[in-house]
Amino acid sequence: MTRVLLLGGSGQLGTAIAQRWSDCEIVAPSHDELAIEQSGRLADALISTRPDVLVNAAAFHDVDRCEDEQATALETNAFSVGRAARLAAQRDVLFVTMSTDYVFDGAKGSPYAESDSPNPLSFYGASKLAGERLVEAAGGRAFVVRTCGVYGPSRSPSRRRTFIDRILAAGESGEPLRVVADVVASPTFAGDLADALRKLIGTTEYGLYHAAAAGPVSWYDFACEAMRQARVELAIEPIAANQWKARAIRPRYSALESAKLGELGIAMDPWREGIAAYLALGVR
Ligand SMILES: NC(=O)c1ccc[n+]([C@@H]2O[C@H](COP(=O)([O-])OP(=O)(O)OC[C@H]3O[C@@H](n4cnc5c(N)ncnc54)[C@H](OP(=O)(O)O)[C@@H]3O)[C@@H](O)[C@H]2O)c1
């Protein structure tokens, strides 16, 4: 049985991995027990757990806070990830870590493939890109997987409601709803992402991958479809991104094409199916 040491196990992706990698033995210390910055503790955990795979689903991904807390963003998303990759490489443990669509600037205007050049607009995106590069430099067996707009149940004490939960709660309470219509992404159901990662780690085709729901969609269209599927009736007002003020600059177009996964025969579900799978869990 594959032994997995999982960081960030209480988050959206971590929860999905813990639930869906049923053929793996998973050890998932909490953030309090093992923060990714604590390299000494991580080294000890690698010795005591003897995993085949170290999965890092932890991150500092409050995009706006990363603008103000740049040192923390760099430490958590880049330097610590690089050290974890080196520790894994020293023990010949497969390393898996996640990156983001925010490494791109959105200028392409069509789904980004792995071969496209990154150009992050935010400090969060820059810190994650630095993490990608440090994993590559560590030289071990590793998968770096960029994803986008992840949603799923989470056991994290600091979890925030998912975009779908917030939309449906507003719809049900009759609150007026405004959603950006000129920002396009690939919102991805965490369960589908976890399934794809499980298949990916069964291969030896190490490197950088995109893993996101198939098909680009604006957040407005995504919200309308979530309301339709949940049978909540309330009109949503489409707004422009410049009507929504935020600290960090985000790409207007950051849909990802999971091109290399496709070459391995690993398909990501279309975004509409992700909504259906999430609603079917009934966990709101
Ligand atoms: N969510 C998105 O829309 C999105 C989009 C693109 C890429 N990603 C990437 O996908 C990955 C998974 O995201 P997610 O949505 O599953 O995140 P999440 O739900 O916020 O979960 C993050 C997890 O990491 C833990 N954690 C946070 N800081 C940590 C640290 N310094 N050391 C150890 N554990 C720490 C959290 O524990 P506590 O809550 O107890 O602190 C939680 O278990 C991340 O790498 C993220 O950057 C996410």
Side-chain angles (χ1 to χ4, degrees), residues 8-14 31 34-37 56-61 76 98-101 124 128 147-150 154 156-158:
S10 69
Q12 299 183 102
L13 175 59
H31 185 174
L34 177 53
I36 191 169
E37 297 84 356
N56 174 34
F60 178 30
H61 71 94
T76 304
M98 304 305 297
S99 189
T100 173
D101 53 320
Y124 166 70
K128 296 291 277 187
T147 189
C148 176
V150 178
S154 164
S156 161
S158 55

Side-chain angles (χ1 to χ4, degrees), residues 9 12 23 47 55 74 78 80 84 87 124 126 130 134 140 143 153-154 175 199 208 232 237 243 247 253:
Q12 299 183 102
D23 61 338
I47 291 166
V55 177
L74 263 185
S80 300
L87 287 172
Y124 166 70
L134 290 171
F143 291 106
S154 164
E175 267 174 54
K199 290 176 192 150
L208 174 69
V232 176
E237 182 192 344
Q243 290 177 259
R247 179 85 177 82
Y253 193 107

Side-chain angles (χ1 to χ4, degrees), residues 13-138:
L13 175 59
T15 297
I17 288 175
Q19 287 174 347
R20 297 168 85 106
W21 291 18
S22 51
D23 61 338
C24 296
E25 188 182 334
I26 296 184
V27 177
S30 68
H31 185 174
D32 282 346
E33 289 165 336
L34 177 53
I36 191 169
E37 297 84 356
Q38 295 170 312
S39 300
R41 278 199 195 181
L42 179 56
D44 291 345
L46 286 167
I47 291 166
S48 60
T49 314
R50 298 166 54 85
D52 303 293
V53 189
L54 170 61
V55 177
N56 174 34
F60 178 30
H61 71 94
D62 183 320
V63 180
D64 293 314
R65 270 182 61 204
C66 283
E67 294 297 315
D68 295 322
E69 299 172 40
Q70 299 191 349
T72 308
L74 263 185
E75 180 55 42
T76 304
N77 296 336
F79 300 139
S80 300
V81 176
R83 285 197 299 272
R86 285 201 301 280
L87 287 172
Q90 282 160 12
R91 300 191 65 81
D92 195 26
V93 170
L94 175 62
F95 184 61
V96 182
T97 195
M98 304 305 297
S99 189
T100 173
D101 53 320
Y102 282 12
V103 299
F104 295 112
D105 61 15
K108 183 180 178 190
S110 61
Y112 283 96
E114 293 85 349
S115 53
D116 288 314
S117 298
N119 181 32
L121 302 174
S122 62
F123 201 84
Y124 166 70
S127 68
K128 296 291 277 187
L129 182 61
E132 293 183 5
R133 301 271 159 88
L134 290 171
V135 173
E136 200 185 340

Side-chain angles (χ1 to χ4, degrees), residues 180-195:
V180 288
D182 57 354
V183 177
V184 174
S186 309
T188 300
F189 173 51
D192 190 36
L193 177 58
D195 292 350

